[in-house]
Amino acid sequence: MNNRYELNKNLAQMLKGGVIMDVTTAAQARIAQEAGACAVMALERIPADIRSAGGVSRMSDPKMIKSIQAAVSIPVMAKVRIGHFAEAQILEAIEIDYIDESEVLSPADDTYHIDKTGFSVPFVCGAKDLGEALRRISEGASMIRTKGEPGTGDVVQAVRHMRLINQQIRTIQNTREDELFQVAKDLQVPYELVQLVNETGKLPVVNFAAGGIATPADAALMMQLGAEGVFVGSGIFKSGNPAKRAQAIVKAVTNYNDAKLLAELSEDLGEAMVGINEQEIELLMAQRGI
Amino acid sequence: MKKTIGVLAIQGAFAEHIKVLRKLDSHCIEIRKPSDLTDHSLDGLVLPGGESTVMGKLLRELALFEPLKDLIEAGLPVLGTCAGLILLAGKISEDDTIHFGTMNMVARRNAYGRQLGSFQTAAEFGACGKIPMVFIRAPDIERVGANVEILARVDHHIVAARQANMVVTSFHPELTDDLTVHQYFLNLVPQKTKTCVA
């Protein structure tokens, strides 16, 4: 099991500096791969559409996921509802490369997350602060992403979550060892993980940015704030020219410090997704599963 | 004098390679744009693990492809791990894509299937003894041509090889504490003569 957990963390390391794109069809998956996505997230409806459709949102049809697995050679991820371990078992059975236990879908359990240590396939989970991140890691997540606010095209929450996680890490790094026990108590996380953060000054797994990233500049902002890669959901296939925007975001993640190149990449991308800002939405997905 | 190693840093696990190379007292340069190649004189090059489709595309679009290919063909020592192996392969099985294509071998992507097929083992590497090997959605080498020395096999798969200045592994030496593969690569880099600064 430990060995498997290491291998699963290792796969996330290979994704670093890359862009993981939401796709709903095999054709979109091919466009994403062609544009330079390092992995795709297969789902029936992108977050913006989940938001406007309302109702209960569930794991995607395995047949649709398999068609995407057949269409591309890069890793394929898919989402399950928070706490829905049976959906996770199904995705493991079709050999998914990564499961996203995601607040974008309707939660199946309002208390318990999935015990991810019982699975061989890796899990990525969302977090809006360090406590959430370390709780998910103690449950077996081998990769973390900010929650952001999916399907909005508004980056403000992803920024807030990334800044907060990194601030909390820096604080722990500068905390006296005999005070770490209290930190663990306050954050409601295992002491061993707090100790690890204190020693290393980072999360013990890879941390991506997600939720509301719509432009190359958004991607560069998140990378400069310390993200190790980005998820782009609705931002690509809800925009005017998906292929071009996807390529631009991929290059922006690689060269996030090169403002001159970012300027070129930001030119003439067509219409960005319209977006809604956080004051205008009724449902804050980031509040799900803490 | 320290050896200067360029590490291709456009996507993937380049930071892990840099960490290992620093342990072996090398000076590392992250290669992201053409000026990174003209500003420094490299003694060696590492092509890390990641997604070969992403790297292949970005290499061309960021205008790194030709200058790097020229350096490799001119004999610059290069270590390619996982996706890096794919970039150097003369042919990729069931795929018409060729990247640098400088090494006389046929590589097969995702030879062990999806993430559930990822594994860790230990096997002989050249004459260096047994080393730990981590395979993540790994490729293998289906067959090698002339002038390619096989350095490691796991079961019936060829997982490491060398041709002149090029060393490739389908596993990830940068993910373990073992320094053997990186040391082997650095040994291909000619010793720099000490320049005297008075």
Side-chain angles (χ1 to χ4, degrees), chain B residues 19 67 77 84 87 105 109 139 144 155 182 197:
Chain B
K19 215 171 142 191
L87 294 179
M105 63 181 184
R109 298 185 60 204
V144 297
D155 303 323
H182 288 85
V197 185

Side-chain angles (χ1 to χ4, degrees), chain A residues 3-4 7-8 10-11 13-18 34-38 69 73-76 92 95 97 120-122 247 250-251 254-256 258 261, chain B residues 9-16 32-33 49-51 53-54 57-58 61-62 109-110 113-120 134-137 172 174-175:
Chain A
N3 187 8
R4 183 49 58 184
L7 293 168
N8 288 340
N10 290 157
L11 175 58
Q13 286 173 278
M14 295 308 141
L15 301 174
K16 282 192 300 182
E34 190 65 26
C38 68
Q69 286 176 318
S73 63
I74 55 181
V76 178
E92 183 168 63
E95 298 203 13
D97 290 303
S120 295
V121 288
Q247 292 184 32
V250 167
K251 279 190 238 171
T254 298
N255 289 286
Y256 60 90
D258 186 342
L261 182 66
Chain B
I10 53 180
Q11 195 268 320
F14 51 87
E16 288 77 357
R32 293 170 192 269
K33 51 183 186 296
E51 279 303 318
T53 51
V54 182
K57 183 183 162 59
L58 287 172
E61 290 181 357
L62 298 169
R109 298 185 60 204
N110 301 334
R114 301 186 176 281
Q115 174 61 4
L116 283 175
S118 295
F119 66 102
Q120 184 174 7
V134 176
F135 294 82
I136 306 293
R137 283 175 48 97
H172 291 279
E174 77 282 11
L175 296 179

Side-chain angles (χ1 to χ4, degrees), chain A residues 30 226 256 273:
Chain A
R30 276 190 288 265
Y256 60 90
M273 70 178 288

Side-chain angles (χ1 to χ4, degrees), chain A residues 181-252:
Chain A
F181 299 97
Q182 183 62 33
V183 173
K185 204 163 97 184
D186 292 341
L187 291 180
Q188 303 177 48
V189 300
Y191 167 72
E192 290 70 24
L193 287 177
V194 174
Q195 205 181 20
L196 202 62
V197 171
N198 172 257
E199 277 171 27
T200 60
K202 58 192 287 297
L203 286 180
V205 303
V206 167
N207 187 17
F208 269 46
I213 294 158
T215 66
D218 288 347
L221 173 68
M222 296 313 302
M223 293 298 287
Q224 290 188 36
L225 285 173
E228 296 180 281
V230 302
F231 283 84
V232 185
S234 318
I236 288 173
F237 288 100
K238 272 282 161 193
S239 74
N241 188 344
K244 191 167 181 195
R245 183 167 293 268
Q247 292 184 32
I249 293 177
V250 167
K251 279 190 238 171

Side-chain angles (χ1 to χ4, degrees), chain B residues 89-110:
Chain B
K91 168 147 184 50
I92 304 170
S93 187
E94 290 168 38
D95 192 337
D96 294 331
T97 317
I98 298 173
H99 300 291
F100 295 125
T102 45
M103 220 170 141
N104 194 3
M105 63 181 184
V106 182
R108 183 168 45 165
R109 298 185 60 204
N110 301 334

